[in-house]
Amino acid sequence: MRKRILGLLTALALSTPAVAPVTAIAQQPKTLRAVMHSDLKILDPIWTTAFIVRNHGYMVYDTLFALDGNLKIQPQMVDTWKMSDDKLTWTFTLRDGLEFHDGQPVTSDDVIASLKRWAARDSLGQILWAKVAEAKAVDPKTFQLVLKAPTGIVLQALAKPSGNPFIMPKRVAETDPSKQIDDYTGSGPFIFKKDEWKPGDKTVYVKNPKYKPRAEAPSGLAGGKVAKVDRVEWVAMPDQQTAVNAL
């Protein structure tokens, strides 16, 4: 809790100075600087359950489902979904406007490849995938999970806050699960600036101008993710006294 408070206070303290001329503030990008609880050293969001890597994942990528402030499962990238009467076939349709940072649309093939890589490493993903007979794309926006037997963990697995299956382009998701990815193209509200990443110093993200948030109000990890700053810098200050002095 103390580290979270320090991060928030430092973010406020290091924001654009209030004494700057109004014209200068209008011309400068809105930058949020924050001291996180630890330094970011791993960039593959399914490689570890460390919170800092998970947080990095939510900045860069998007998820199919998420938990709201009341811990209820809500759709994120998914528009509609249904379960067949025999409870074996789950059909999901992606919402309109989903696009990766490189301008390519998010498709069912991207989702399926991402789910397979996630399921190879995540414990709950492994349990779910053992129950999946087939994962297939119906069309570019619709995909299905066909189960071997009914199970109640489908949505729970796809919506859990940590170890969530972040959706990547197919070409990236096809990376061997035993190797970390080296392409950080996502479809989330921020774009990771690899050229400015300096482990032990800072991690930089810039606003994704093409991101289309959901219409719902934000709640927990669900709802509309509206980026209200142009740039985010995670500043590494492992020593708490240094962070206090920075205030």
Side-chain angles (χ1 to χ4, degrees), residues 179-195:
K179 299 178 180 179
Q180 293 188 47
I181 59 174
D182 56 12
D183 182 334
Y184 312 105
T185 303
S187 66
F190 287 92
I191 300 170
F192 172 65
K193 294 286 289 179
K194 184 181 179 181
D195 60 329

Side-chain angles (χ1 to χ4, degrees), residues 24-133:
I25 293 177
Q27 295 173 356
Q28 296 176 354
K30 295 180 180 178
T31 300
L32 173 66
R33 297 181 181 89
V35 175
M36 306 302 285
H37 67 282
S38 67
D39 187 28
L40 179 68
K41 298 179 179 179
I42 295 175
L43 302 175
D44 191 334
I46 70 163
W47 193 258
T48 173
T49 57
F51 282 178
I52 191 66
V53 180
R54 176 201 66 181
N55 296 347
H56 162 77
Y58 279 110
M59 292 286 285
V60 178
Y61 304 94
D62 215 341
T63 60
L64 298 174
F65 292 87
L67 296 183
D68 66 14
N70 295 315
L71 301 182
K72 293 183 178 180
I73 297 173
Q74 303 292 350
Q76 189 59 36
M77 300 177 79
V78 168
D79 182 21
T80 61
W81 70 99
K82 63 181 179 180
M83 179 178 62
S84 61
D85 292 339
D86 61 6
K87 300 181 180 181
L88 293 179
T89 302
W90 288 74
T91 303
F92 305 88
T93 300
L94 299 174
R95 63 188 177 93
D96 295 331
L98 299 180
E99 184 178 302
F100 287 113
H101 298 153
D102 59 6
Q104 296 300 309
V106 179
T107 69
S108 298
D109 288 336
D110 299 310
V111 172
I112 291 173
S114 297
L115 290 178
K116 288 181 177 179
R117 186 169 188 271
W118 159 77
R121 295 192 62 88
D122 183 79
S123 57
L124 186 55
Q126 292 171 356
I127 294 174
L128 172 62
W129 223 249
K131 303 176 183 295
V132 174

Side-chain angles (χ1 to χ4, degrees), residues 54 58 63 66-67 71 156-164 166 221:
R54 176 201 66 181
Y58 279 110
T63 60
L67 296 183
L71 301 182
Q156 286 80 356
L158 300 180
K160 64 196 189 88
S162 292
N164 198 304
F166 295 103
L221 294 172

